[in-house]
Amino acid sequence: MRQRSHAGSGMTAAERRAALSLAAIYATRMLGLFMILPVFALYAEHLEGQTPVLVGLAIGIYGLTQALLQIPFGMLSDRIGRKPVITGGLLLFAAGSVVAALSHTIWGVIAGRALQGAGAVASALMALVADLTREEHRLRAMAIIGGTIGLSFALALVLGPLVDAWVGVPGIFWLTAALALAGVVVLHRWVPRPVRSRVHRDAEPVAGQFGAVLGHRELLRLDLGVFVLHLLLTASFVAVPLALRDQVGLDPGRHWLVYLGVMVVALAAMVPLVVLAERRRMKPVFVGAVAALAVAELLLDLAQASLWGMVGALMVFFVAFNVLEATLPSLVAKWADPDKKGTAMGVYASAQFLGAFAGGVLGGWLHGALGLEAVFLACAALAAAWLVVAVTMAPPPTLSSRLLPVVVSGREEAEALAARLRQVPGVVEAVVVAEEGVAYLKVDARRLD
């Protein structure tokens, strides 16, 4: 048994091209999904058959279909290949955008948004990233994609009102379709073809591991957390655009100025907080961010008639939201067994999408039944309930994941190597999978040579 050697210490040109081009595909999907978030509640007032609950359903329905299909599509890509599944998903996403663009009824838009979500290619994309990068550079590639997703979300909130003022919400859907088709071009022209596709336990769900992941108490807390986080986001944006227009009196064409200022401050404030969290202050920062969400929702309720009050409340909300978006996946990686990280992240992503669906429906129903104030107060109550769960969370282990490429023949040799690796100072957990040629490690970076 021996470790495989690789020439060079940096990412190859092909690995960089794969990471950047797949990040671009992620970015186009994120822009398409979220540019309507700050404008749709206003646009939907003119759709035939609309009611507040149907408006919320239209905003959140993509989350339901995405949650149902993203894990199965990832597993399908193991069988028929990554690029066919991703291509099909992007074409479904484009088709849903066209359906929504052409619809004059709320039900047509709901159908289009559901079809958008059915283009659930996140798991297949992550598996393709793993196919195209060596183990020692995979985390860097994932970080590039993660950073792109965060920036795309922030950009979408600003671009949504700007593009709406230019071409309207149907124009946003047409632009979304064009971006999805551009993603297909990027996939086939710039993304390298993997020499070999296989299951990557660090990057995608694995059949047979769901029972262990769903039985892990701390992982379930994190799944609940991301469910509530995206419920709060979607429910709040059923109400925020209406409050800015009707309570504050701000012209919808100028909403982008609010979101631009808010996101610039929130992104700048997030960085030092995330750095502090990773320096052995994870639980205090995490709990503080959840508490800030509850405060932000109360402020949104109290400040509906004040422009600067709304701006301040949104800043608090998005500082907390961005910190939690960055730290929740890190916590999943810390708690998951080294060879079950991909499955844990798959369940986590499904919980996130289900939260978006639940938030749209709940926000729409509360708005129609009780008014905007009820939306913000209910969100504050849910954030407070999450705070109780967060406070009782066990302090996360200060461990990081490492992948070690190895060559072993057979199960006995793999188990022997895993036992030897666990004797190395700083290695806390080690699982060697012979057929993949990979050792999955959990390490204490302070002690590891």
Side-chain angles (χ1 to χ4, degrees):
M1 31 189 183
R2 61 189 185 278
Q3 178 181 343
R4 295 201 306 265
S5 62
H6 296 285
S9 58
M11 295 179 76
T12 65
E15 287 174 324
R16 286 194 298 272
R17 187 175 71 179
L20 292 172
S21 53
L22 290 171
I25 294 172
Y26 265 102
T28 59
R29 291 185 70 255
M30 184 65 73
L31 283 171
L33 281 172
F34 286 105
M35 273 196 293
I36 76 155
L37 193 62
V39 298
F40 187 76
L42 304 175
Y43 165 75
E45 293 175 340
H46 308 291
L47 291 172
E48 181 183 336
Q50 66 86 25
T51 65
V53 70
L54 292 179
V55 171
L57 180 62
I59 292 174
I61 189 65
Y62 82 92
L64 178 61
T65 49
Q66 188 138 312
L68 292 175
L69 294 173
Q70 61 106 12
I71 290 177
F73 277 12
M75 292 181 172
L76 180 63
S77 76
D78 293 332
R79 294 179 174 270
I80 68 172
R82 315 299 188 199
K83 287 194 175 184
V85 170
I86 296 169
T87 300
L90 290 173
L91 292 176
L92 276 175
F93 187 84
S97 302
V98 171
V99 169
L102 294 173
S103 296
H104 300 288
T105 70
I106 189 66
W107 285 108
V109 175
I110 290 170
R113 288 284 282 174
L115 196 54
Q116 280 186 323
V121 296
S123 288
L125 279 167
M126 297 308 287
L128 184 54
V129 174
D131 283 340
L132 294 171
T133 54
R134 291 168 291 166
E135 291 85 352
E136 60 266 38
H137 298 303
R138 195 167 299 155
L139 287 177
R140 188 182 305 175
M142 300 292 187
I144 291 171
I145 291 172
T148 302
I149 291 172
L151 290 175
S152 298
F153 173 75
L155 188 61
L157 290 184
V158 177
L159 286 180
L162 280 172
V163 178
D164 176 44
W166 179 34
V167 293
V169 170
I172 293 177
F173 284 125
W174 282 115
L175 177 59
T176 296
L179 289 172
L181 295 177
V184 175
V185 174
V186 170
L187 178 68
H188 289 280
R189 292 201 62 179
W190 285 286
V191 178
R193 182 175 296 277
V195 176
R196 181 170 69 99
S197 293
R198 59 176 176 80
V199 174
H200 304 274
R201 294 167 186 254
D202 63 310
E204 58 180 306
V206 177
Q209 293 186 344
F210 291 103
V213 168
L214 292 172
H216 193 298
R217 183 176 179 180
E218 296 303 331
L219 289 177
L220 286 178
R221 289 174 186 264
L222 300 175
D223 295 335
L224 172 66
V226 78
F227 175 89
V228 174
L229 181 64
H230 282 262
L231 184 156
L232 297 179
L233 174 70
T234 312
S236 296
F237 271 85
V238 171
V240 165
L242 296 169
L244 287 173
R245 184 193 65 182
D246 299 336
Q247 305 296 327
V248 175
L250 185 65
D251 183 84
R254 298 175 66 83
H255 286 192
W256 69 273
L257 291 168
V258 171
Y259 300 128
L260 177 62
V262 165
M263 294 311 296
V264 167
V265 172
L267 289 172
M270 173 199 76
V271 174
L273 289 172
V274 172
V275 171
L276 178 63
E278 292 294 343
R279 291 180 176 174
R280 308 177 69 80
R281 294 291 184 272
M282 180 64 78
K283 185 174 179 179
V285 171
F286 182 83
V287 171
V290 177
L293 280 180
V295 171
E297 294 289 355
L298 289 174
L299 291 175
L300 285 170
D301 177 58
L302 294 171
Q304 287 183 58
S306 166
L307 174 59
W308 291 109
M310 288 289 289
V311 168
L314 287 170
M315 283 183 179
V316 174
F317 180 91
F318 277 109
V319 170
F321 179 87
N322 289 340
V323 168
L324 291 165
E325 275 284 275
T327 54
L328 275 165
S330 176
L331 284 167
V332 172
K334 292 178 188 301
W335 279 114
D337 293 338
D339 61 327
K340 297 181 178 65
K341 178 182 171 185
T343 304
M345 289 305 301
V347 173
Y348 169 89
S350 294
Q352 171 184 324
F353 298 135
L354 286 173
F357 168 67
V361 174
L362 179 64
W365 177 76
L366 287 170
H367 172 220
L370 301 171
L372 297 180
E373 295 84 356
V375 177
F376 297 130
L377 290 174
C379 286
L382 285 169
W386 181 17
L387 179 61
V388 173
V389 175
V391 167
T392 59
M393 177 181 74
T398 56
L399 303 176
S400 57
S401 300
R402 298 286 177 89
L403 302 181
L404 185 68
V406 297
V407 177
V408 292
S409 56
R411 182 175 179 179
E412 289 185 4
E413 195 171 331
E415 291 177 350
L417 178 56
R420 288 175 56 190
L421 287 169
R422 284 191 288 268
Q423 294 173 5
V424 175
V427 175
V428 178
E429 298 178 58
V431 177
V432 177
V433 182
E435 59 269 26
E436 297 178 22
V438 177
Y440 297 92
L441 309 179
K442 278 291 187 67
V443 303
D444 182 342
R446 298 170 302 163
R447 298 172 52 219
L448 184 70
D449 184 346

